Amino acid sequence: MNKLIIILIAYIASSTSLLVAQESTVIPSEVITLQKAISIALEKNHSIIIANNTAEINSNNATIGNAGLLPNLNASGSYSGSKSDAEFKQFGQPTNTVNGAGSNTTTGSISVSYLLFDGFGNYYRFQSLKSLEEQAGVQARLEIEGTLLQVISLYLGVITQKQNLKISEDAISRSLDRYKRISKRFELGNATRLDLLSAQVDLNADSVGFIQASNQLNNAKRDLLIQLGAEPNEVIQVVDDIVLNSTLLENDLLSASLNNNASLVLSKLTAENALLGLKQNKSGRFPKINLNGSYDYYRNESDAGQLEFQKSNGFSGGVSISLNLFNGFQQEIRIQNAQVQLKNNEEFLFFAQKSLQRDVLNTYENYETNLYLLKKEELNLETALLNFERSKQLFELGQITNTQFREAQLNVSRVQQNMVRLKIQAKLSEVSLYQLSGQLIDGE
């Protein structure tokens, strides 16, 4: 039996050192709170960094230049030269021959064009680009919220495994105390070998449970470290328990969700962008007016010819108007399709609002139920502990069996584990309400 205890202690020592393989470069050495874990994730999580970068790309695209609201300015130039033998003859004149005659031409041009009017299509395009920029920001927020939910769930998972490990330690302590008492009674002839073997089997079972809990805790820590952008073998210490907010109000959450929920905001922006798309298509019914101007330079020099050089330069400009009179009804079909798409987006927005209200109501009910069950389980724990202490006294007096004493011991562990589960579920419901109401990132 002493050998078993030595092996168990050795395993505990080794398991606690599994996560200290290198000095932490991301995670602070002190115990980190859930809020601190969220702050680290917002800065270091790889998925969040990618989401922010993607949103930045869409922000870069939302310019008046991309919408066609700025003029186009182009410059060009060229130079060419040649050297050749040339002959030329005028009427009544002798033939002239020039060997190695050189010729070169230089040109240059600066042109500008501007779409003055296209039925306000370029203005609607700019508004659409701004809407897409906003949509990209909300989409990034959605991805960030999803990642934070994973971080929070993993953080709570670490706390769960940490508390389960403590429950396993308490179970071992009780079983070890029982084993020692039965050993003394066995030596005095007041207990049977069957009683001793039964106590040893239970102690062994609790030891195995502790080892499994320790393994699960280490795995949970590694999962959390990856989501925090750290190496999986860094050190991390979390708080021993979680704090629940039991003051959330259903009506406040419903109101906040209809204004701030990321998915609903994205649906609204999609509907707005569909309306802008319809306006863009309708702009094709109007004429397009283009302004253009240029400055051109030309110079040609030749050793063979009547002119030694020829040069021209100057400005030119103009205005052009175009109107699509008929293109096989393509324009009208695009307008009709845009109108249908707008209706679809509006219908989806109505559905999204109803679905969001349902999700808030369901989650809030789960939240209240978990809080209620947690209070009841706290009372059950008090009862289970009293029952165990009473069973311990009766067992010492030989008035209950090993099986009855073991059942009282297991009841305590089961109630403790159930309390941990209910508290985690209550916290996850609370966090889901923050996310649904748009308060997960900016809320307390």
Side-chain angles (χ1 to χ4, degrees):
M1 185 59 207
N2 290 335
K3 182 178 180 181
L4 173 64
I5 297 175
I6 293 173
I7 293 174
L8 184 60
I9 294 174
Y11 181 82
I12 295 173
S14 63
S15 63
T16 55
S17 64
L18 286 175
L19 298 178
V20 295
Q22 70 174 44
E23 183 180 354
S24 175
T25 58
V26 176
I27 307 303
S29 58
E30 70 272 11
V31 174
I32 65 171
T33 62
L34 177 57
Q35 188 64 41
K36 182 62 176 179
I38 291 175
S39 299
I40 295 173
L42 287 172
E43 181 182 358
K44 301 293 184 180
N45 179 272
H46 301 297
S47 298
I48 290 179
I49 293 174
I50 293 172
N52 287 328
N53 290 341
T54 302
E56 184 178 353
I57 291 174
N58 284 276
S59 178
N60 293 337
N61 290 332
T63 64
I64 57 177
N66 275 346
L69 287 168
L70 293 178
N72 292 320
L73 184 64
N74 295 290
S76 62
S78 67
Y79 173 84
S80 63
S82 65
K83 207 170 260 298
S84 60
D85 297 333
E87 292 185 357
F88 57 92
K89 182 178 181 303
Q90 296 181 346
F91 288 104
Q93 299 294 328
T95 300
N96 293 325
T97 300
V98 179
N99 294 322
S103 175
N104 60 77
T105 301
T106 303
T107 65
S109 176
I110 296 178
S111 63
V112 60
S113 63
Y114 181 64
L115 180 61
L116 182 63
F117 180 77
D118 69 339
F120 301 106
N122 48 9
Y123 170 76
Y124 295 134
R125 278 191 293 274
F126 176 64
Q127 295 299 316
S128 180
L129 287 173
K130 296 297 291 184
S131 177
L132 289 174
E133 176 190 14
E134 196 170 353
Q135 287 183 56
V138 177
Q139 185 63 47
R141 177 182 153 197
L142 270 173
E143 295 179 15
I144 292 171
E145 286 181 350
T147 301
L148 289 184
L149 287 177
Q150 293 182 33
V151 171
I152 294 170
S153 178
L154 291 172
Y155 184 94
L156 296 177
V158 173
I159 294 179
T160 300
Q161 299 306 329
K162 187 176 181 181
Q163 293 186 351
N164 285 339
L165 185 64
K166 180 61 170 62
I167 293 171
S168 296
E169 290 176 352
D170 293 340
I172 289 176
S173 177
R174 296 188 188 102
S175 293
L176 184 59
D177 178 68
R178 172 189 165 203
Y179 178 82
K180 290 178 178 179
R181 290 176 181 272
I182 293 180
S183 295
K184 292 180 181 179
R185 290 170 56 188
F186 177 75
E187 292 173 358
L188 297 174
N190 294 327
T192 66
R193 179 169 293 277
L194 182 61
D195 293 333
L196 182 63
L197 291 175
S198 177
Q200 183 173 345
V201 168
D202 292 338
L203 177 58
N204 290 345
D206 291 337
S207 301
V208 170
F210 174 85
I211 293 174
Q212 291 173 336
S214 178
N215 177 58
Q216 291 169 353
L217 174 59
N218 289 330
N219 290 341
K221 285 185 175 182
R222 294 187 190 98
D223 291 339
L224 176 60
L225 283 166
I226 291 297
Q227 287 296 326
L228 295 181
E231 296 295 331
N233 56 344
E234 289 191 21
V235 181
I236 184 170
Q237 297 295 332
V238 302
V239 298
D240 293 327
D241 200 2
I242 56 176
V243 178
L244 296 173
N245 181 1
S246 59
T247 62
L248 298 181
L249 300 177
E250 183 180 276
N251 289 336
D252 292 345
L253 293 167
L254 280 171
S255 177
S257 65
L258 292 175
N259 292 320
N260 303 321
N261 178 267
S263 295
L264 189 60
V265 170
L266 187 60
S267 297
K268 292 178 181 178
L269 290 173
T270 302
E272 292 174 3
N273 200 47
L275 178 60
L276 291 171
L278 175 61
K279 291 180 178 180
Q280 286 184 59
N281 283 301
K282 286 184 175 181
S283 68
R285 293 172 171 173
F286 294 87
K288 293 183 179 180
I289 303 176
N290 280 281
L291 299 178
N292 59 80
S294 66
Y295 173 82
D296 301 294
Y297 173 85
Y298 173 84
R299 179 182 177 91
N300 176 261
E301 298 178 357
S302 177
D303 293 338
Q306 294 181 340
L307 301 177
E308 179 179 353
F309 71 90
Q310 183 179 1
K311 174 184 174 182
S312 66
N313 64 286
F315 294 92
S316 64
V319 59
S320 64
I321 300 177
S322 63
L323 176 64
N324 174 32
L325 297 178
F326 181 75
N327 63 351
F329 302 107
Q330 295 179 27
Q331 184 68 37
E332 293 305 314
I333 291 174
R334 285 195 291 268
I335 292 175
Q336 291 174 9
N337 290 340
Q339 290 173 332
V340 174
Q341 186 61 51
L342 176 60
K343 291 180 181 179
N344 283 344
N345 288 333
E346 290 175 343
E347 286 297 323
F348 184 81
L349 178 58
F350 295 146
F351 174 75
Q353 289 173 333
K354 295 176 183 177
S355 299
L356 176 60
Q357 289 175 315
R358 175 207 61 199
D359 293 341
V360 172
L361 292 173
N362 288 346
T363 306
Y364 189 81
E365 185 172 352
N366 293 337
Y367 161 77
E368 285 196 316
T369 300
N370 289 325
L371 290 177
Y372 174 80
L373 293 177
L374 182 59
K375 291 181 180 179
K376 292 298 182 182
E377 205 62 32
E378 290 173 351
L379 297 176
N380 289 340
L381 179 59
E382 294 179 6
T383 303
L385 290 172
L386 289 173
N387 180 60
F388 173 74
E389 292 299 326
R390 178 59 178 163
S391 297
K392 184 177 178 181
Q393 295 172 3
L394 294 175
F395 182 73
E396 288 295 322
L397 297 173
Q399 296 181 7
I400 62 173
T401 64
N402 270 316
T403 302
Q404 291 172 316
F405 180 76
R406 177 63 173 173
E407 184 61 28
Q409 179 185 359
L410 292 176
N411 278 340
V412 173
S413 297
R414 280 194 291 262
V415 173
Q416 288 175 329
Q417 291 171 346
N418 202 32
M419 279 191 60
V420 173
R421 179 182 60 82
L422 287 171
K423 183 170 283 190
I424 295 299
Q425 287 180 350
K427 190 63 179 180
L428 288 174
S429 298
E430 176 189 324
V431 170
S432 294
L433 288 172
Y434 291 144
Q435 187 264 331
L436 288 171
S437 59
Q439 304 176 74
L440 182 61
I441 297 178
D442 300 327
E444 292 296 331

